Amino acid sequence: MNYNKTNRLSRLTAILIQLQTKRIVTASELASKFDISKRTIYRDIKALEQSGVPVLTEEGKGYTLMEGYKVPPVMFTEKQANALILAEQLVLKNKDASFVKDYSEAIDKIKSILRYTTKDKANLLANRTQYDEVINQERNSTNLSDLQNALTNYSLVKIEYINKEGIITKRLIEPFALLSSENWYLVALCRLRKEFRFFRLDRIQKMEILSENFEPHNLTLQEYFDKYH
């Protein structure tokens, strides 16, 4: 499958998620979200219809999915859906851009399986809930999602790290834990220093997840603190 076909398939999937997330979606909204023309959106909607997706056109309003098209594999209560919306607002304060992006996309997928009544209320709550800190929140790192994967898959990571004195060193590290206070910190075994070290994510200048794996460190986070601090 070539890139263009793969790219379109991804977009069709994303459009379907948007249709499942909101009751009504306009061609203009979709065109703006995916940075394509409305004509391309019309073609994509037609492709979805031809594949059996019951997309309905409401004259002068936009597109909607036939009620009951998808049976949700997981049912959320209204209070559970509201808790997820509140959590989304808290996540938007996070300083790592990759984490915010992944969580927002996950919330879109969760919204897509809600029943219409719960979905409408969840969207209303999202529009009426906001923290001042969310506005113009500065993102200072983009590595969290990749480091989460490296940690759970025991993948070695090569980084260029700048310390508080401005000195850059190259490190080979074994991710062990992720901690958050004002910034995100990675606890990892540094093979250069041959000991566990803390690394601030916003000081990682370059990062590469290697295909090589390391032996898991068989201790809990609490055991780590008890042993080393």
Side-chain angles (χ1 to χ4, degrees), residues 166-185:
I167 300 171
I168 297 177
T169 56
K170 293 182 179 180
R171 311 286 186 98
L172 195 60
I173 58 175
E174 302 175 5
F176 172 72
L178 288 158
L179 309 174
S180 176
S181 54
E182 291 183 2
N183 286 287
W184 276 101
Y185 291 85

Side-chain angles (χ1 to χ4, degrees), residues 215-229:
E215 286 295 319
H217 302 285
N218 293 318
L219 71 164
T220 67
L221 187 57
Q222 185 58 54
E223 288 170 342
Y224 162 79
F225 282 119
D226 291 342
K227 184 175 181 179
Y228 295 102
H229 293 276

Side-chain angles (χ1 to χ4, degrees), residues 81-91 103 125 129 131:
N82 289 347
L84 290 168
I85 298 303
L86 180 60
E88 181 183 24
Q89 296 299 315
L90 296 172
V91 167
Y103 190 90
L125 185 63
T129 305
Y131 293 89

Side-chain angles (χ1 to χ4, degrees), residues 145-181:
S145 291
D146 286 338
L147 285 171
Q148 286 175 322
N149 283 335
L151 189 156
T152 56
N153 290 294
Y154 308 113
S155 299
L156 276 173
V157 180
K158 183 163 62 175
I159 63 172
E160 287 187 13
Y161 189 78
I162 183 169
N163 64 16
K164 60 184 180 181
E165 286 80 28
I167 300 171
I168 297 177
T169 56
K170 293 182 179 180
R171 311 286 186 98
L172 195 60
I173 58 175
E174 302 175 5
F176 172 72
L178 288 158
L179 309 174
S180 176
S181 54

